[in-house]
Amino acid sequence: MSRREQKRAERADRLAEERQTLTAVDGGAGGGANRDSHTANALTEEASKGASRRASKAASKAPVKPKELFVPHRGWYGVGGGRVGYMDPPTMWRATTVQACGMWPFAAGSGSPMTGVPLGQHLFTGATVCGDPLNWFTRARYISNPSLFMLGMPGLGKSTLVNRMLIGLAATGVVPLVLGDLKPDYADTVRALGGQVISIGRGRGGINVLDPGAMGEAAVKIGGEAGEVLKAEAHGRVLNMVAALITIVRGRPMDDHEQSVLSAVLHHLRERTPEGRALLLPDVLRVLTEGPPRVRAVTLDRGDDARYRDAVDPLHRSLLGILDGPLGDTFASETSTRIDPDAPAVCIDISGIGEADTQLTAAAMLAAWSDGLGTVAASHALADAGLAPRRWFFTVLDELWRPLRAASGIVDRIDALTRLNRSLGLGDAKITHTLKDAEALGTDADRAKARGFVERAGMVVCAGLPKTEMEDLGRVVGLSRREIELVSSWSSPPGWGVNGDNEEPPGRGRFLIKVGGRPGIPIKVAITDAERRLHNTNTRWTPNEDAVEKAAARAAEQVARAAREGVHGFPGIPGTPGASGTPGTPGTEAAAGRWTA
């Protein structure tokens, strides 16, 4: 019996008892007027108590039905209730097939790609997403070009994602090449991988642009006709590098006859330089000054020294400008550190070059790319000859806008790389902020080449971008309205922290991977502690805890020494003059004046 039914029964019994009592009283006395009110009230109260006791006794004997838990199908009643539209995924634990061998293979499948470097979790399903340009080109066959183009606003984790690809690819035997680290973002990662870090800049190290490097060494090892072909290729690379330096100094390309003169000078030096001695740019100036017959024949001087000087003097002045100008300290001497062809990873760090030194930045980038791609060509030549195992390489060009604006030669070199990287056995990743970075280039030809980088990329990865930028990108890549709105929402700034905590932007670590006309794959990347230590792009904004601790220790030592000497009278330090603050004590006035804030 429910509580409501019990109360209703008690009320009915009480009313019935009262009627019976009143009827009996009126009939026995012959009228209610002769009975006083006190007696009637007492009888009524006694009858009510008896009825209540009987009702309680009956309720205690009746079985009580337990109350069932009722959950409304649209959610709980009350403030904040209602239907739940999205449920958080359960906690996931990850393990290798060796650690979880008893539960492998897993019963649940996944609709996300599982080939390549583990990048993160699918933003909606929580499934693991794997991928990188090399594995998606060689193993999965998802893309036809092993290249990646990444766009996004600063501070959203673009370099962090590429760093994860470097670590994963290095574990599979691929050699990461960072040919011009501008911040640096990858030097610590390369060191942790056991790779080689080469610093380029004034007072840090230099590159001898006349050194054939790994290609020259490979040509000697191979020998025969294949070795001669490799020597000719090395000669062409050196010639193009010197011509690029002259173009940077002049601000315009070299003339055709000057390139012929420079080629003749390099051939003359190769033939007459002893084995083991490196050629330098001052040697080129010496040969131009001497004017040997082979060089004079190219200038068409016909025995006239004045005609020869007129032909070579512009080239001579440009070379002097390199040696005596801002590039001389970096490119006039021997290479400080050569690239090790057997290194598991290589990073050429040019972060020591100032932001405003555009000429040296452009020259260092060109030299790094020439030396690095020469190493790649030498490795493949040795593998073709059966003298070395086949190796694959993965190049990274971060902050693409900076080298593109530094020199037009970089645009041509990257353009050739994106077209030929399949035949070179070379994957690449290019990172920039927006498509508008290409619009700031000097010529229409360079702008068209830079826009082609996105169109030819096998993978396009988008971090947070403004909506207008996403709409421009959608016309090139093919983005749906939902994808544009999703990525645009990631470009919002963090909320106003009310408790002083450092809140992250909502788009940090979130990326959309697009491959051709396929639907985009939204992922969320959660970095490990090891990655966080290796990759911190805000090092200049991070307090130097060691320096702060040392400064505090020095200050404490100075205070303690001054207190022991008792010279300055520190207030509140017993045993020092003026410490008690008593008027008239020597040093009180001076101490008070010194310690007034």
Side-chain angles (χ1 to χ4, degrees):
M1 179 182 297
S2 65
R3 186 173 182 82
R4 180 177 297 177
E5 294 174 349
Q6 180 180 351
K7 289 182 177 180
R8 192 175 297 167
E10 290 176 359
R11 189 182 300 112
D13 293 342
R14 186 166 59 252
L15 291 175
E17 292 288 337
E18 288 176 357
R19 290 193 191 97
Q20 293 176 1
T21 303
L22 291 174
T23 302
V25 171
D26 292 341
N34 299 328
R35 182 80 61 175
D36 60 6
S37 59
H38 178 73
T39 305
N41 292 337
L43 292 173
T44 302
E45 183 179 357
E46 184 179 356
S48 299
K49 290 182 179 179
S52 299
R53 285 194 297 270
R54 287 192 298 272
S56 299
K57 186 176 181 181
S60 62
K61 294 181 179 179
V64 179
K65 185 178 180 180
K67 187 176 181 180
E68 297 181 357
L69 180 63
F70 175 70
V71 181
H73 67 281
R74 290 185 177 274
W76 297 100
Y77 295 115
V79 179
R83 177 179 292 178
V84 179
Y86 174 75
M87 296 186 65
D88 293 332
T91 304
M92 298 180 63
W93 299 91
R94 300 176 183 273
T96 64
T97 54
V98 175
Q99 296 168 331
C101 55
M103 295 181 289
W104 187 268
F106 297 113
S110 173
S112 58
M114 297 294 292
T115 303
V117 178
L119 300 180
Q121 289 180 285
H122 197 285
L123 195 60
F124 301 137
T125 66
T128 302
V129 178
C130 303
D132 60 81
L134 270 71
N135 282 290
W136 279 17
F137 173 72
T138 57
R139 296 171 57 196
R141 304 291 183 181
Y142 293 151
I143 57 180
S144 59
N145 188 14
S147 61
L148 177 147
F149 198 94
M150 184 179 295
L151 303 99
M153 300 299 290
L156 297 182
K158 302 185 298 297
S159 303
T160 303
L161 182 62
V162 174
N163 246 309
R164 173 165 292 186
M165 289 186 183
L166 291 186
I167 297 172
L169 289 172
T172 62
V174 177
V175 181
L177 297 176
V178 185
L179 303 177
D181 197 353
L182 292 161
K183 286 187 177 179
D185 285 339
Y186 307 94
D188 292 339
T189 301
V190 171
R191 289 191 186 97
L193 294 174
Q196 181 185 28
V197 178
I198 303 173
S199 297
I200 302 297
R202 295 187 183 93
R204 298 172 177 266
I207 295 178
N208 179 16
V209 294
L210 302 185
D211 187 0
M215 293 188 71
E217 297 177 356
V220 174
K221 289 182 180 179
I222 295 173
E225 184 178 355
E228 294 299 324
V229 171
L230 197 59
K231 285 182 180 179
E233 177 65 22
H235 172 81
R237 287 184 179 273
V238 170
L239 178 61
N240 291 334
M241 187 60 230
V242 179
L245 290 183
I246 295 174
T247 301
I248 292 173
V249 172
R250 289 183 178 180
R252 62 177 181 83
M254 291 178 61
D255 296 332
D256 54 351
H257 71 277
E258 290 179 323
Q259 294 190 28
S260 300
V261 172
L262 184 58
S263 178
V265 171
L266 293 177
H267 279 299
H268 176 81
L269 286 172
R270 300 284 180 202
E271 294 171 358
R272 287 165 175 76
T273 301
E275 191 71 25
R277 181 184 178 276
L279 301 179
L280 302 174
L281 283 178
D283 296 331
V284 177
L285 290 178
R286 177 176 53 80
V287 173
L288 288 176
T289 303
E290 295 174 355
R294 182 169 185 172
V295 178
R296 285 179 176 270
V298 178
T299 62
L300 301 177
D301 66 331
R302 297 182 177 86
D304 187 352
D305 190 66
R307 289 172 59 89
Y308 172 75
R309 294 303 169 189
D310 291 340
V312 301
D313 279 352
L315 178 60
H316 201 150
R317 283 192 295 269
S318 297
L319 290 173
L320 285 174
I322 294 175
L323 295 175
D324 298 334
L327 309 182
D329 295 339
T330 308
F331 301 101
S333 58
E334 295 187 13
T335 301
S336 57
T337 306
R338 280 189 172 186
I339 295 179
D340 183 8
D342 299 325
V346 177
C347 174
I348 299 182
D349 181 9
I350 62 174
S351 60
I353 302 175
E355 293 283 343
D357 202 343
T358 57
Q359 282 192 347
L360 185 56
T361 299
M365 288 290 295
L366 285 170
W369 275 86
S370 179
D371 199 10
L373 296 183
T375 303
V376 173
S379 176
H380 289 314
L382 290 172
D384 293 339
L387 301 177
R390 180 74 64 189
R391 306 179 77 189
W392 292 343
F393 298 85
F394 182 66
T395 61
V396 176
L397 182 57
D398 202 347
E399 300 293 338
L400 182 65
W401 62 271
R402 188 174 172 189
L404 288 181
R405 298 180 189 181
S408 60
I410 285 286
V411 181
D412 295 329
R413 191 172 296 275
I414 300 173
D415 181 65
L417 176 64
T418 58
R419 298 175 187 271
L420 302 175
N421 51 0
R422 288 185 302 170
S423 59
L424 294 176
L426 183 71
D428 68 277
K430 295 176 285 294
I431 310 171
T432 190
H433 296 148
T434 66
L435 286 178
K436 293 182 175 61
D437 293 336
E439 298 177 2
L441 300 180
T443 64
D444 293 337
D446 286 347
R447 286 191 288 270
K449 294 172 186 175
R451 285 193 295 267
F453 297 160
V454 186
E455 298 172 355
R456 291 191 300 273
M459 297 173 59
V460 177
V461 180
C462 304
L465 285 169
K467 191 171 184 178
T468 56
E469 181 67 24
M470 287 300 299
E471 291 175 350
D472 294 341
L473 182 62
R475 287 189 284 269
V476 179
V477 178
L479 299 170
S480 66
R481 178 56 53 184
R482 180 70 183 93
E483 292 170 345
I484 291 176
E485 293 176 354
L486 176 65
V487 179
S488 300
S489 67
W490 297 340
S491 63
S492 303
W496 302 105
V498 296
N499 54 357
D501 294 338
N502 295 324
E503 296 189 8
E504 291 189 350
R508 179 171 294 175
R510 288 168 169 80
F511 304 92
L512 180 71
I513 304 176
K514 286 290 292 185
V515 175
R518 296 172 181 263
I521 305 173
I523 65 171
K524 180 180 179 181
V525 179
I527 63 174
T528 62
D529 291 338
E531 290 174 306
R532 187 175 290 106
R533 288 192 300 269
L534 290 175
H535 186 67
N536 182 12
T537 58
N538 297 324
T539 53
R540 296 295 175 87
W541 295 94
T542 304
N544 190 340
E545 297 179 358
D546 294 338
V548 172
E549 292 178 358
K550 291 179 181 178
R554 286 196 300 268
E557 183 181 355
Q558 291 175 0
V559 171
R561 184 172 61 252
R564 288 194 303 269
E565 294 175 356
V567 176
H568 301 292
F570 289 91
I573 302 179
T576 61
S580 61
T582 306
T585 304
T588 303
E589 295 80 3
R594 280 192 295 270
W595 284 89
T596 300

